[in-house]
Structure formats: C-alpha cells, structure tokens
Amino acid sequence: MFPARVLAGAPLALLILALSGCSSSWGCTDTTAKRGKAGVRVQVENTYGQRPGTTAEVVDWRLEPHPQEPSEGDQVHFNYRFDGADEYSGPAVDACAVDRKRLALGCQTIYSSEAWPQPNGALTGDNWLAVEHPAQVAGVLLIPNDQSYDPRTCDEDIKDGGGPHPPKPAGKGDQL
C-alpha cells in the first residue's frame, strides 16, 4: 500500500508530465483530410477542407517525347496555372494523367512555387508525367488538396506532432 502523501501527490505529478509533453499519446491526435474531387480546374483546399482562394488549372496537355529522354517514347506534357497563390510559399496539388474511366495512370505533385510569375499575377508552369501506356491517357486532372505542408505525426513526434494532414497522394490505379 502507498502512503497517503504519495497518493496525494500523484495527480500533480501526472499533470506536470502531461504539460511537459512527457506523457504517452494523451492529447496528440492525427487526422487525415478527405481527398477532394479531381478536376481540370479546382479550388485548392487546405487540410481543414477550407478553400483559401487559390485555384489550380490544367491549361493544356499533349503526348510527346521528353526532350531529355526521347528514346523513352511519348510522355504526358502538361501546362498548369495557379491563380491567387503566393509564388514563394504557395500550395501544391497532385496532377494525374487519367484514362477514360478516371483511373490514375501516373501522378506527381506540382508546386506553385516552381511556376513562373505572370504580369496578371498568375503563376504558370509545365511538367511531365511518365505513364506506362500513353495511348490510354484521356486527360490530366488535379486533386484540390494542398500537399505543400504535412506536419509531423504523433508517431514521429509525440510532443510536437499531430493535427490535420493532407490525404495520401494519389497513385497509379486510384479512381479520381
């Protein structure tokens, strides 16, 4: 049996541990945002599902050999545009080449900070997607979830981790 003095101090000790971040996973929670609906033009959503006033758009796309890898055959070359984005720390979205059923054939994240500023305030850029069967490509879609910031998880850092996270990036075979 514990002495009364030890038992009386136990709640205070637990409070100190919890406030110092030395507790187990008490208070650290991770949440993952739901993947937004993909489209040619999307309103960028943060991890809370809110729309910060930025749009991303696939301006055009075509199949052609990459100039640095012409022997690899056709790849998907697409142009994109961000409106309302900060050129230094703006959002990033996943771009996916899709077939007629909107199944992803290949995806990658595009960053507004890698685009070029235009006189009208838009940020424009181009990128390439390598796909196994280029003839199956029916379009390029963007997923609206901002992928530019993914904080540490509770498993990685119990003290400072946790909070909302973007959805898992889209991959080959995902239905968009």
Side-chain angles (χ1 to χ4, degrees), residues 21-87:
C22 295
S23 63
S24 62
S25 61
W26 301 342
C28 188
T29 58
D30 288 312
T31 57
T32 301
K34 183 179 175 187
R35 185 180 289 163
K37 184 173 170 53
V40 173
R41 180 178 169 90
V42 297
Q43 288 274 343
V44 179
E45 299 175 3
N46 64 25
T47 53
Y48 297 98
Q50 299 167 341
R51 300 173 192 266
T54 300
T55 59
E57 176 180 11
V58 175
V59 178
D60 63 16
W61 68 273
R62 60 204 162 280
L63 295 175
E64 61 187 7
H66 191 287
Q68 295 174 343
E69 301 169 348
S71 64
E72 298 291 320
D74 283 344
Q75 294 183 25
V76 181
H77 185 201
F78 67 99
N79 294 305
Y80 60 89
R81 170 187 177 113
F82 283 92
D83 286 301
D86 180 336
E87 71 182 278

